[in-house]
Amino acid sequence: MTTAPDFADEKTVLRDALGLLKDREQVAERLLDSSRKHSFDPDKELDWDAPFEEGKWFWPPELVSLYDTPLWQRMSEEQRMELARHEAASLASLGIWFEIILMQLLVRHIYDKSLVSAHVRYALTEIADECRHSMMFARLITKGGAPAYPVSKLNHNLARVLKTVSTTPGSFACTLLGEEILDWMQRLTFPDERVQPLVRGVTRIHVVEEARHVRYAREELRRQMVRAPRWEQELTRISSGEAARVFSIAFVNPQVYTNVGLDRREAVAQVRASGHRREVMQTGAQRLTDFLDEIGVLRGIGRKLWKSSGLLA
């Protein structure tokens, strides 16, 4: 994240459309306190040796991409559950990719800040959380037996550019894009008794710890949008809109359809035409898009890009 040196404590009182911004250090201290009380070691917290339970899903069926499509109606229950297993692996793979990007962006964010500040200490705490999450997702993929699903080479290299040139507000906007939609889905998953206990355990840990990450990113994005020059605000609108477009395409790797014996082209076409899928993605993004709209991110070309992504109605 490109940013001006910021070694001094934040003393300026800032306000945006949502009201006064909280003191950066006070926010970080609260998040650090929460981290001390509610952090988990997935290797110890979860029973990785327990066998999977017969007849249980790896992902709630309503969140599977083909749900309620004509193709879904023709699939056997066994094939539907197999698709859910592969889509869970695809989402876990996407999560690892995204969190590796996020860790690099956070390191860049704190490079020019006071190394003894609570704000920096929390960023380091979050990086440690993301390391554990990435290892947890990798272990879940391996345990589940489906392959890992890396993003396309194009998206992989686009992300390489993003993490090299991204400005601070753009990086936090993209962070929220990756965190909040998956968080909404996982909040539906961990209490769902139709889902495998291990998957529910993984999503529960991720939801609890990601709540702090979302708070940190929201507070910092508000601060950055108030302080950023006009050109950087506009760049943030465009870059977050383009990120939304890429994210919506990469959300499920189409190779999952081939791997469960479906016609890939037909499956992709039906997902794109699915009103249910569109509603799921827009509902999952609504809390985020409402927030971004309120703080001035969803404007102009950026708003058009968000609409083209299918995440904004």
Side-chain angles (χ1 to χ4, degrees):
M1 302 181 193
T2 57
T3 181
D6 184 16
F7 294 109
D9 291 338
E10 178 66 65
K11 298 297 183 184
T12 306
V13 176
L14 300 174
R15 178 187 294 272
D16 65 4
L18 298 177
L20 288 174
L21 273 75
K22 296 179 175 65
D23 179 78
R24 180 190 261 169
E25 287 295 277
Q26 288 180 358
V27 170
E29 289 287 5
R30 292 192 189 102
L31 293 173
L32 284 165
D33 184 58
S34 178
S35 296
R36 284 187 285 269
K37 295 175 181 176
H38 305 291
S39 290
F40 305 94
D41 180 349
D43 287 339
K44 297 178 181 178
E45 185 76 17
L46 302 174
D47 186 357
W48 294 96
D49 294 325
F52 288 119
E53 295 186 13
E54 188 75 23
K56 291 207 169 183
W57 295 76
F58 280 77
W59 201 240
E62 298 82 5
L63 300 182
V64 176
S65 61
L66 279 170
Y67 181 82
D68 202 31
T69 63
L71 187 53
W72 180 267
Q73 302 303 327
R74 301 201 305 265
M75 293 165 65
S76 66
E77 189 75 354
E78 182 181 6
Q79 196 173 26
R80 292 171 180 174
M81 297 184 82
E82 183 69 357
L83 177 60
R85 183 170 72 94
H86 281 261
E87 288 201 11
S90 177
L91 287 169
S93 302
L94 183 74
I96 296 169
W97 173 69
F98 178 77
E99 290 184 339
I100 289 172
I101 295 168
L102 172 57
M103 286 186 274
Q104 293 178 73
L105 294 176
L106 282 170
V107 170
R108 290 181 60 200
H109 171 60
I110 64 177
Y111 187 74
D112 290 318
K113 291 179 169 45
S114 170
L115 301 180
V116 295
S117 68
H119 183 75
V120 167
R121 285 193 291 121
Y122 180 73
L124 293 171
T125 301
E126 181 171 333
I127 291 167
D129 290 346
E130 301 295 19
C131 283
R132 292 195 304 275
H133 294 171
S134 295
M135 293 186 288
M136 176 175 70
F137 289 158
R139 192 169 183 181
L140 179 64
I141 294 168
T142 301
K143 173 74 174 178
Y149 286 95
V151 298
S152 69
K153 288 184 179 179
L154 174 61
N155 289 335
H156 184 81
N157 287 318
L158 283 173
R160 191 189 307 279
V161 174
L162 167 70
K163 58 191 178 62
T164 302
V165 305
S166 181
T167 64
T168 301
S171 295
F172 278 108
C174 292
T175 294
L176 289 168
L177 168 65
E179 289 180 336
E180 295 213 27
I181 299 174
L182 283 170
D183 180 74
W184 176 81
M185 290 187 170
Q186 290 175 336
R187 286 177 185 274
L188 296 176
T189 301
F190 79 78
D192 191 335
E193 295 185 358
R194 298 173 299 171
V195 176
Q196 294 287 348
L198 180 61
V199 175
R200 294 173 62 195
V202 166
T203 55
R204 178 181 61 85
I205 288 174
H206 199 247
V207 163
V208 170
E209 297 188 340
E210 284 295 316
R212 299 190 293 266
H213 304 175
V214 168
R215 172 72 185 281
Y216 184 79
R218 281 185 170 229
E219 293 288 334
E220 195 59 24
L221 178 56
R222 290 178 63 194
R223 184 178 306 278
Q224 295 295 335
M225 284 298 289
V226 169
R227 299 175 68 184
R230 186 172 298 176
W231 70 264
E232 192 171 11
Q233 293 177 7
E234 187 58 31
L235 180 60
T236 298
R237 295 178 184 117
I238 295 171
S239 64
S240 70
E242 176 62 13
R245 189 190 65 79
V246 170
F247 184 79
S248 64
I249 293 171
F251 200 77
V252 174
N253 190 315
Q255 184 62 33
V256 300
Y257 308 124
T258 303
N259 287 352
V260 298
L262 299 174
D263 182 275
R264 176 171 171 165
R265 289 188 178 182
E266 181 185 11
V268 169
Q270 290 199 17
V271 170
R272 289 176 178 169
S274 170
H276 173 81
R277 186 61 175 178
R278 185 162 48 252
E279 182 180 358
V280 164
M281 297 302 288
Q282 289 179 358
T283 303
Q286 185 171 358
R287 183 171 175 267
L288 171 61
T289 53
D290 286 348
F291 169 72
L292 295 178
D293 200 15
E294 288 179 306
I295 65 171
V297 174
L298 298 187
R299 296 179 184 173
I301 297 173
R303 189 178 190 88
K304 292 179 181 179
L305 287 167
W306 273 89
K307 280 184 171 292
S308 72
S309 75
L311 298 176
L312 180 66

